Amino acid sequence: MRAGGAAVVLAAVVLGAAGCSADSTVAPAPATTAPISEPAPTPTGTPLDYELPAEDDQDYPEWDSASREQAVAAGEAVMRAFVRPAPGADASPIEAGWWETLATLLTPEAKDAYFYVDPAEVPATTVTGPAALVEPQPGTTAFLATVQVPTDVGTYEVLLARTGGRAPWLAERITPPESLSAPPSEPPVADAPA
């Protein structure tokens, strides 16, 4: 059996070698890729698909006198809209447009925060004097301003924000006077008899 197995192996080797000879009629496999005739084009221009605006077109806010005046006016307008409507008015505050007026002066986040405020619960009923800007510290952003507004129950602070130099100041937070937010003082405790 050994001789028969060796003959089969020898026949396979001979036939395989014959397929590799120059007389072979087997065609070579076609090329799978085309030869590169030209190099790929080099990109031109900048990596951005748009041009940046000129520096003069940037809308960066500055702390100039106009910004200060606008912040003071905006803070006072917010408080005039926020104070509780006069008692005895015929229409409810909501019907009289309290929320509609106030909402136009608030940032989107403040609109969410103040939407559920009941105007009848606002302690202040009137603005009693001119608003004043709390001067920002050096290096403070010109996107925020704090304005103090005196009312009949004390001075409120209005935090204002803007998105650019030409954008309007809008209220981000309205903080009541400390006297309204402080917990009531407790009466002194009498000494216990000995």
Side-chain angles (χ1 to χ4, degrees):
M1 290 267 243
R2 288 177 81 134
V8 172
V9 171
L10 181 61
V13 169
V14 171
L15 288 175
C20 294
S21 70
D23 293 347
S24 174
T25 58
V26 178
T32 57
T33 58
I36 298 175
S37 59
E38 294 180 26
T42 304
T44 60
T46 63
L48 300 176
D49 290 339
Y50 60 91
E51 290 187 30
L52 293 173
E55 193 168 316
D56 295 344
D57 293 341
Q58 298 293 333
D59 190 24
Y60 295 117
E62 294 183 22
W63 269 121
D64 56 11
S65 60
S67 289
R68 286 174 159 72
E69 291 171 9
Q70 292 165 357
V72 169
E76 190 168 327
V78 167
M79 279 310 300
R80 290 192 184 282
F82 184 70
V83 296
R84 179 171 22 113
D90 291 336
S92 75
I94 299 301
E95 291 170 356
W98 179 86
W99 173 247
E100 288 78 10
T101 302
L102 181 62
T104 63
L105 304 171
L106 302 175
T107 64
E109 295 80 12
K111 286 178 187 177
D112 291 342
Y114 289 95
F115 181 77
Y116 295 101
V117 169
D118 180 359
E121 298 296 321
V122 174
T125 60
T126 186
V127 172
T128 60
L133 179 70
V134 176
E135 283 299 320
Q137 298 296 320
T140 303
T141 180
F143 288 96
L144 299 172
T146 302
V147 176
Q148 294 180 331
V149 185
T151 69
D152 56 337
V153 295
T155 301
Y156 277 76
E157 282 196 351
V158 180
L159 176 64
L160 300 164
R162 60 182 172 173
T163 57
R166 292 182 285 259
W169 286 105
L170 298 173
E172 180 69 24
R173 184 175 58 230
I174 304 167
T175 305
E178 286 185 33
S179 61
L180 295 178
S181 57
S185 61
E186 296 183 23
V189 177
D191 290 334

